[in-house]
Amino acid sequence: MKKDAKTLLKDNTMLIVLVLVFVFFTITTKGMMFQPMQFNALITQNAYVFILACGMLMCMLTGGNIDLSCGAFVCLVGAVGGYLMIVKELNVGLSIVLMLLVGVVYGCVLGYLVAYVEIPPWIATLAGYLAFRGLGTQILSANSSTGSLAPFPDSFVNIFAGKVFGTKLGVMNIPCIVVGVIACLVLAILNIHSRNARARKGYDADSIAWTLGKTVLLAAVIMLFAYKLAMSGGIPAVLIWVAVIVLLYSFITGKTTIGRHFYVVGGNREAARLSGIDTRRVMFLAYLNMAVITVITSFAVLGKMKAANSTLGTNYEMDAISACVVGGVSAYGGAGTVPGMLVGALLIGVINLGMSLMGVDANFQKVVKGIVLLGAVAFDIISKQKSK
């Protein structure tokens, strides 16, 4: 199937915006944005957005539902982790399991309230938004005169914030380049296989030229990242976590039955119920999943900060929602992809990093992100109206 310029522009609008925004910040920061350390910072400082947005995506697919409590829950889990690992000096592995258990318990309670008691998700999670930061702050205050617990054990920090095959800054990290090449090969195989599979089944498929061109461009981006990370000391451990989680959710949403159920429920919940889908189970799983992915997010944040404090997780829910909406996840549910969400998360990350390098006031940064979010929602609504 041939694609005209208008179709290509519409399908890749946010990707084009991402490139333009990156170029803008590269120019305004006099090249600082293009330095190897900034590529490393783009991953490490915004890992929470990539991870948390995967869980938010599943909630939004069910009908535009969101979780307002995830940022405050990061604070609570951090406080629990600090109490276990620093105050009680428990084994790191056992502490991680107990923190995950806290997430599972909360996820089950929240999922039950939303799915079976039918409390509106924004009300149920607003309660957590109000309660969890207060509870987390209370735990921190009761166990520290400064209201902060630090430092976390090196064994924990290295799992989530270390370097894989790390080298000195400015020294080419060969394993990083090798991983980049392997990723490019895997990408090429998957893209060509997917295109050929669609063509064999008689579905609309991109032309060979477009498939190859897209693959080459994506491979170039991957190798650029690989080179920059190689010059900044190696692959951040958190990037491995982000990659695994993104690939897992991409597989679930694109290749599994339960993943398709999320789309169907979001598209028309009553029709999904009448067709035999357990819509309550889907809603329950969405919020159980969100709680667990929030705990994993807290691991990444605690590894980076090496401390738990009352401000941990502030506005994380807003960044996750923004990443999803900017990445094309419908505010009404039933539409959105992990790759699209990834583009949205990268855009939010580039905006965060670029404005920080420019020294933009934190309050004005919120204004900019608010405008970007509003623009993305307006674009989604206008596009749907035109398609009708």
Side-chain angles (χ1 to χ4, degrees):
M1 180 184 70
K2 294 183 179 181
K3 293 188 176 184
D4 56 27
K6 185 177 180 180
T7 303
L8 289 176
L9 182 62
K10 181 181 177 182
D11 292 346
N12 299 278
T13 300
M14 286 305 163
L15 190 57
I16 295 170
V17 171
L18 172 61
V19 173
L20 293 176
V21 170
F22 184 83
V23 171
F24 169 77
F25 282 123
T26 300
I27 294 172
T28 54
T29 60
K30 299 180 180 179
M32 287 181 61
M33 192 75 173
F34 205 66
Q35 293 178 357
M37 286 305 298
Q38 304 311 326
F39 278 74
N40 181 78
L42 181 61
I43 301 298
T44 56
Q45 293 181 15
N46 296 283
Y48 74 91
V49 182
F50 299 105
I51 299 173
L52 206 56
C54 286
M56 195 67 73
L57 166 70
M58 305 306 287
C59 291
M60 293 185 70
L61 286 178
T62 61
N65 299 308
I66 55 176
D67 182 355
L68 294 174
S69 69
C70 56
F73 193 51
V74 166
C75 175
L76 175 59
V77 173
V80 171
Y83 176 77
L84 294 174
M85 283 184 263
I86 298 172
V87 178
K88 292 300 182 181
E89 299 183 345
L90 286 187
N91 174 271
V92 168
L94 177 59
S95 298
I96 288 175
V97 171
L98 292 175
M99 292 162 76
L100 284 170
L101 183 60
V102 171
V104 170
V105 170
Y106 171 57
C108 288
V109 172
L110 178 60
Y112 178 78
L113 292 175
V114 170
Y116 296 98
V117 181
E118 298 186 353
I119 295 177
W122 71 273
I123 290 291
T125 59
L126 180 60
Y129 172 86
L130 297 172
F132 291 150
R133 191 169 302 280
L135 182 56
T137 301
Q138 183 62 36
I139 293 173
L140 293 168
S141 299
N143 292 280
S144 172
S145 59
T146 62
S148 176
L149 290 174
F152 275 74
D154 289 340
S155 54
F156 175 83
V157 172
N158 290 336
I159 294 173
F160 299 99
K163 293 279 189 179
V164 180
F165 303 114
T167 55
K168 294 181 180 179
L169 296 179
V171 177
M172 178 66 71
N173 186 288
I174 301 302
C176 194
I177 298 297
V178 172
V179 170
V181 172
I182 293 173
C184 291
L185 292 174
V186 171
L187 173 70
I189 293 171
L190 291 177
N191 279 353
I192 294 172
H193 177 270
S194 176
R195 186 267 170 196
N196 290 341
R198 291 184 65 84
R200 283 197 303 270
K201 294 176 182 178
Y203 299 152
D204 287 340
D206 294 332
S207 66
I208 288 291
W210 170 247
T211 300
L212 292 177
K214 180 174 65 174
T215 301
V216 169
L217 286 174
L218 290 175
V221 172
I222 290 173
M223 289 310 301
L224 174 62
F225 262 92
Y227 172 74
K228 292 294 185 179
L229 292 177
M231 297 304 292
S232 65
I235 304 173
V238 73
L239 178 59
I240 305 298
W241 286 97
V242 169
V244 170
I245 290 170
V246 167
L247 290 173
L248 176 62
Y249 278 82
S250 183
F251 174 78
I252 290 173
T253 55
K255 302 294 183 181
T256 66
T257 301
I258 187 62
R260 304 313 302 173
H261 285 177
F262 279 87
Y263 287 95
V264 176
V265 170
N268 190 322
R269 186 169 182 176
E270 183 61 18
R273 186 186 68 80
L274 293 174
S275 67
I277 295 175
D278 189 342
T279 56
R280 290 186 170 185
R281 174 172 170 264
V282 171
M283 292 295 293
F284 178 85
L285 290 176
Y287 282 92
L288 171 58
N289 167 79
M290 187 68 209
V292 173
I293 208 70
T294 302
V295 175
I296 297 174
T297 302
S298 72
F299 294 159
V301 175
L302 291 171
K304 175 179 174 291
M305 302 295 293
K306 301 180 183 179
N309 56 59
S310 60
T311 62
L312 214 63
T314 302
N315 291 330
Y316 280 16
E317 63 281 350
M318 300 306 171
D319 282 344
I321 294 169
S322 298
C324 288
V325 174
V326 170
V329 181
S330 175
Y332 302 102
T337 64
V338 172
M341 175 277 297
L342 191 59
V343 171
L346 276 171
L347 181 56
I348 295 298
V350 167
I351 291 173
N352 285 338
L353 181 60
M355 289 194 293
S356 295
L357 290 174
M358 290 177 63
V360 176
D361 181 76
N363 292 318
F364 188 71
Q365 290 184 29
K366 295 176 183 178
V367 173
V368 172
K369 287 193 284 188
I371 294 172
V372 171
L373 177 60
L374 181 61
V377 174
F379 178 79
D380 178 44
I381 293 173
I382 293 172
S383 296
K384 286 184 177 180
Q385 290 175 344
K386 287 185 176 180
S387 64
K388 291 180 181 180

